[in-house]
């Protein structure tokens, strides 16, 4: 097995082993096996970065073997500068989530940990797949463990939220399946993604394909106005589920635009870029305003995720190098910051069993260590320079100003809204005198929670202070993608 297969199947194998263990009486052993599995799964991804060549846009670590011979479906994997960091990010977040659920989950522990490990492997498969049908299988399969995570370990309305999540994302993906079958017939019976990138398609075919892919990927991002499932799901999902959903699963949709929509339908992507920019700006500005009036901390951070992902799609469809690279950097940064925000809310919820902002006040007086972490993550969510949250947004705004000053100006206003809703929440939850007996009885974070938050804090600060390793990996691949989109009419 090559490195990519190891990255995909190591967590899945550990997940299946955990499912086989069964009883909650074995919970202690289950937790340790889950942690060992998550750590090994992360370690096997590190050689990908160590052996990655940053001076080529070609796919690397490629492996290909026949899967379904009759339909010419291949088990075809590879990564380039666009996808590499998401493999590492997924494996890293999986380690954090296993640590986060260590003491919190007390029933069906093996199924909970197993679901996350299997989900991690499937999401890595999405980022590595170079066969259209293989991509679709991984893309859809991620719904199953997340549906179970929400439906079994979620809040009071977990069944409603799980169904809403499943139906929205599944229905959007059905049009993508039609598009994949069309491309299969058009290419003479091939599901090879790199072959599809070179197909000479008419303007009408490109437009239909673009909107077919849009139906699947826009729901997953989620873009306005198909974002309404996200707040409901976040509120009901367990803390680990919210962290993985925000940190990784939303990125599957944005990644799809770069891997499918732009290279396969480049003319249509340029033609409809105005629509993508408009929807992105609405997400950035309007959804930011919606976040300001939320009373539930999880809902506030969920709406903030929609606004931050608006920066990603905006960066992609302004078609300049700094904008697309900024969108990718923002995706990685949002993975760290959003996971940290949701896990911080989980720390409070585990103690008080309320997500309402009004239930708190003066937390700094009883949890000073935790408040220091929460302040860092709040600053990163605002886009403070020196944190991961700043780098991607700044690059996207710079690219947008180069594209059109007023689009850049409109996107920059979102930084004001982001600071407003994040700092207002921080003030009401953490600052001031102790507001009630619940807060007075709080105990500061333990060693496990400190480790979980410290891992994310290091990632947030490292990326904010020294983003060069992240941008160096993606530069050549982004340049090649934009060259392909720009030259498509000439070909």
């Amino acid at each position: 097995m090559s490195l990519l297969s190891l990255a995909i199947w190591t967590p899945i194998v550990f997940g299946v082993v955990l499912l086989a263990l069964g009883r909650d009486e074995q919970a202690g052993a289950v937790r340790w096996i889950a942690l060992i599995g998550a750590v090994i799964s992360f370690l096997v991804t590190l050689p990908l970065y160590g052996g990655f060549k940053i001076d080529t846009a070609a796919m690397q670590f490629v492996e290909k073997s026949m899967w379904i011979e009759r339909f010419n479906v291949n088990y075809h994997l590879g990564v380039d500068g666009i996808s590499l960091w998401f493999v590492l990010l997924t494996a890293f977040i999986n380690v954090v989530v296993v640590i986060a659920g260590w003491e919190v989950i007390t029933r069906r522990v093996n199924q909970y940990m197993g679901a996350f490990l299997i989900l991690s492997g499937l999401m890595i498969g999405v980022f590595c797949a170079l066969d259209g049908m293989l991509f679709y299988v991984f893309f859809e399969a991620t719904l199953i463990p997340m549906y179970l995570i929400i439906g079994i370990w979620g809040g009071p309305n977990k069944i409603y939220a799980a169904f809403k999540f499943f139906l929205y994302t599944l229905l959007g993906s059905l049009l993508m399946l039609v598009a994949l079958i069309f491309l299969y017939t058009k290419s003479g019976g091939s599901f090879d993604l790199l072959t599809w990138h070179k197909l000479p398609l008419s303007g009408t075919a490109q437009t239909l394909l673009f909107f077919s892919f849009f139906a699947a990927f826009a729901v997953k991002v989620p873009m306005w106005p198909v974002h309404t499932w996200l707040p409901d799901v976040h509120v009901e999902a367990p803390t680990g589920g919210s962290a993985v959903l925000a940190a990784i699963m939303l990125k599957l949709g944005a990644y799809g635009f770069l891997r499918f929509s732009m290279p396969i339908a480049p003319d249509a992507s340029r033609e409809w870029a105005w629509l993508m920019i408009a929807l992105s700006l609405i997400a950035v500005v309007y959804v930011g305003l919606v976040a300001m009036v939320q009373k539930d901390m999880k809902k506030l951070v969920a709406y903030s995720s929609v606004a931050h992902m608006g920066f990603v799609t905006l960066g992609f469809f302004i078609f300049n190098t700094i904008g697309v690279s900024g969108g990718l950097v923002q995706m990685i940064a949002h993975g760290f910051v959003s996971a940290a925000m949701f896990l911080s809310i989980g720390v409070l919820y585990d103690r008080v069993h309320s997500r309402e902002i009004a239930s708190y006040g003066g937390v700094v007086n009883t949890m000073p260590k935790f408040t220091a972490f929460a302040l860092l993550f709040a600053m990163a969510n605002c886009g403070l320079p020196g944190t991961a949250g700043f780098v991607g947004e700044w690059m996207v705004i710079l690219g947008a100003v180069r594209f059109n000053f007023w689009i850049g100006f409109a996107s920059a206003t979102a930084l004001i809204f982001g600071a407003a809703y994040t700092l207002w929440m921080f003030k009401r939850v953490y600052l001031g005198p102790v507001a009630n007996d619940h807060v007075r009885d709080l105990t500061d974070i333990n060693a496990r929670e400190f480790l979980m938050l410290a891992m994310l804090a290091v990632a947030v600060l490292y990326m904010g202070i020294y983003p060069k390793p992240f941008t160096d990996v993606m530069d050549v691949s982004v340049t090649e993608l934009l060259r392909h989109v720009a030259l498509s009419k000439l070909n």
Side-chain angles (χ1 to χ4, degrees):
M1 295 179 77
S2 79
L3 287 173
L4 293 182
S5 282
L6 279 174
I8 293 168
W9 296 106
T10 301
I12 292 176
V13 168
F14 271 97
V16 171
V17 169
L18 289 174
L19 293 180
L21 289 178
R23 300 174 180 274
D24 281 340
E25 289 81 7
Q26 302 166 308
V30 164
R31 293 184 179 104
W32 280 107
I33 293 171
L35 181 59
I36 291 167
V39 171
I40 291 174
S41 301
F42 176 60
L43 292 177
V44 299
T45 65
L46 295 180
L48 293 171
Y49 178 71
F52 190 82
K53 299 173 184 174
I54 63 172
D55 56 352
T56 175
M59 292 291 170
Q60 300 181 44
F61 308 104
V62 174
E63 53 184 294
K64 185 175 182 179
S65 56
M66 184 58 68
W67 179 25
I68 306 174
E69 188 171 355
R70 181 178 177 184
F71 298 105
N72 197 23
V73 179
N74 290 285
Y75 178 76
H76 190 188
L77 305 175
V79 290
D80 63 357
I82 291 171
S83 54
L84 173 70
W85 275 113
F86 298 108
V87 175
L88 277 76
L89 176 66
T90 304
F92 173 76
I93 294 295
N94 193 42
V95 176
V96 177
V97 167
V98 168
I99 296 171
W102 194 271
E103 296 169 0
V104 180
I105 302 301
T106 56
R107 63 188 182 91
R108 298 184 176 180
V109 180
N110 67 310
Q111 295 172 19
Y112 179 86
M113 297 296 186
F116 275 109
L117 285 163
I118 292 169
L119 177 60
S120 173
L122 294 174
M123 292 189 296
I124 290 173
V126 174
F127 294 122
C128 297
L130 296 181
D131 181 277
M133 189 51 63
L134 183 67
F135 175 91
Y136 185 79
V137 169
F138 278 131
F139 191 81
E140 293 298 273
T142 59
L143 300 181
I144 300 168
M146 182 54 78
Y147 174 80
L148 295 173
I149 288 165
I150 299 165
I152 296 174
W153 295 276
N157 295 319
K158 58 190 177 186
I159 303 301
Y160 165 77
F163 266 101
K164 192 171 185 179
F165 162 75
F166 196 88
L167 290 176
Y168 262 76
T169 48
L170 179 67
L171 290 174
S173 300
L174 290 177
L175 279 175
M176 179 173 72
L177 179 59
V178 174
L180 298 181
I181 294 170
F182 171 80
L183 288 166
Y184 172 75
T185 57
K186 199 74 175 175
S187 61
S190 172
F191 279 109
D192 184 68
L193 200 52
L194 303 180
T195 301
W196 288 355
H197 289 180
K198 301 170 186 174
L199 285 178
L201 298 169
S202 67
T204 303
Q206 286 197 35
T207 299
L208 292 173
L209 286 169
F210 179 82
F211 282 104
S212 297
F213 290 131
F214 175 84
F217 301 141
V219 170
K220 205 84 165 185
V221 168
M223 296 181 71
W224 184 90
V226 288
H227 67 288
T228 54
W229 63 269
L230 187 68
D232 290 334
V233 171
H234 270 311
V235 167
E236 299 303 325
T239 302
S242 288
V244 169
L245 181 63
I248 311 297
M249 287 201 78
L250 305 189
K251 312 304 181 289
L252 303 182
Y255 173 77
F257 282 122
L258 291 183
R259 194 58 87 215
F260 284 83
S261 304
M262 288 168 65
I264 293 174
D267 296 337
S269 296
R270 284 197 310 273
E271 183 182 349
W272 293 99
W274 65 269
L275 175 64
M276 300 298 292
I277 291 169
L279 294 178
S280 299
L281 286 175
I282 292 172
V284 167
V285 179
Y286 166 70
V287 178
L289 291 171
V290 172
M292 292 177 70
V293 299
Q294 299 305 314
K295 298 177 180 178
D296 183 302
M297 288 188 286
K298 261 195 168 185
K299 264 199 173 174
L300 188 149
V301 178
Y303 279 113
S304 111
S305 287
V306 178
H308 285 119
M309 291 303 291
F311 269 102
V312 172
T313 48
L314 173 64
F316 289 172
F317 285 90
I318 55 180
F319 297 114
N320 56 40
T321 306
I322 195 166
V324 176
S325 296
L328 284 167
V329 171
Q330 172 70 354
M331 286 166 71
I332 301 164
H334 182 257
F336 294 136
V337 176
S338 63
M341 293 289 288
F342 279 114
L343 291 170
S344 296
I345 294 169
V347 168
L348 292 174
Y349 182 80
D350 293 340
R351 289 160 168 76
V352 180
H353 300 293
S354 173
R355 291 182 298 266
E356 294 294 318
I357 294 172
S359 300
Y360 297 91
V363 171
V364 67
N365 297 288
T366 50
M367 301 181 72
K369 290 181 190 173
F370 171 64
T371 303
F373 281 116
L375 178 61
L376 170 63
F377 300 140
M379 293 296 103
N381 203 51
C382 295
L384 183 76
T387 65
F390 170 75
V391 183
E393 291 184 358
W394 176 78
M395 291 173 70
V396 170
I397 291 169
L398 187 59
V401 168
R402 289 182 180 178
F403 177 78
N404 181 291
F405 172 79
W406 293 109
I407 290 175
F409 177 80
S411 63
T413 60
L415 295 180
I416 301 169
F417 300 138
Y421 59 68
T422 306
L423 293 178
W424 194 30
M425 178 183 74
F426 185 84
K427 171 183 174 290
R428 288 182 289 169
V429 173
Y430 295 96
L431 302 183
V434 173
N436 55 53
D437 290 337
H438 292 304
V439 175
R440 190 172 288 108
D441 295 337
L442 288 175
T443 55
D444 214 340
I445 50 176
N446 57 32
R448 174 189 63 84
E449 292 165 328
F450 186 92
L451 173 64
M452 168 186 81
L453 298 175
M455 290 170 66
L456 290 165
V458 169
V460 167
L461 288 172
Y462 179 80
M463 188 175 185
I465 295 169
Y466 189 59
K468 189 173 184 293
F470 298 89
T471 55
D472 281 354
V473 164
M474 62 185 66
D475 277 348
V476 176
S477 295
V478 167
T479 302
E480 177 59 28
L481 171 65
L482 291 175
R483 189 191 69 80
H484 171 76
V485 173
L487 291 178
S488 58
K489 274 190 174 178
L490 301 177
N491 296 331

